[in-house]
Amino acid sequence: MRLDIVTIFPEYLEPLNVSLVGKARARGRLDVRVHDLRQWTHDRHNTVDDTPYGGGPGMVMKPEPWGEALDAVIASGDPGGDGDGPVIVVPTPSGSPFTQETAVELAAEPWLVFTPARYEGIDRRVVEEYGERFRVRELSIGDYVLAGGEAPVLVMVEAVARLLPGVLGNAESHRDDSFAPGAMADLLEGPVYTKPPVWRGRDIPEVLLSGHHGRIARWRRDQAFRRTARYRPDLLERCDPAALDAEDRKLLAELGWAERPDGRFGPTAQDVEE
Ligand code: 6GU
């Protein structure tokens, strides 16, 4: 997979040389190219921003450097060999949510171009212009505001890269990920343990030492339900009741959850006054 990142802070992307993504690059699984947006400016001060039309605080990134940058990057290759061009990922707090599903979709692409912005964002005409010829995804990594899109690019690249074949050591490693589509979808992962068996007087849940795979799987599922009910009740409320077995239902009842008239599960309103 090829990734191009156009930024005014190339050094912000240095972490892409480290750890999982760094190794994937070294092994040739990932071709990452970071470009300095200012190389596509032509004035003495390498200006990339200007004041917003209509007034208001902050500055807006000018369209011309982005246009030249994207034209140059897009003209420089066709790693998919299909002439489709890249998917252009525009990180913005006003984008649609970047989720595990988004990561899976992007991981299937041969070529992604990221356009992390600073200031109040990029002149709208850039997304309009490239949206007519390419697939553009405006994506947000969560409901908070960052000073720029570089940290979101690090987040998105890591989430995508670990899904590529041959990048994680163990191909099974993402099967049980929280948010991975499939059996444990919509459940958070429960706790994990390793040696030593006793640490500061704390031992390991017995079942994990039992060697009984069925009981271990059941215990892990129960832990996932407990954790999800506590930290992400919204996920549990969305889950398909058909995916719940008798044990799940019993555990949810213990946790104070019950089936609602609409068939979904939710916490019983014990502390709500009638
Ligand atoms: Cl993608 N960019 C910025 N600046 N802030 C964000 C974000 C992106 N996602 C959440 N907050």
Side-chain angles (χ1 to χ4, degrees), residues 90-94 117 119 139-149 152-153 156:
V90 179
T92 167
S94 354
Y119 317 111
L139 298 172
S140 163
I141 62 162
D143 293 340
Y144 39 81
V145 179
L146 301 170
V153 168
M156 293 189 262

Side-chain angles (χ1 to χ4, degrees), residues 1 87 89 96-112 135-137 139 156 159-161 163-164 181:
M1 170 183 258
V87 171
V89 178
S96 64
F98 175 83
T99 65
Q100 189 64 26
E101 191 183 340
T102 321
V104 169
E105 289 165 10
L106 295 180
E109 296 289 338
W111 191 8
L112 306 175
R135 291 167 294 160
V136 174
R137 305 278 308 255
L139 298 172
M156 293 189 262
V160 169
L163 297 176
L164 300 177

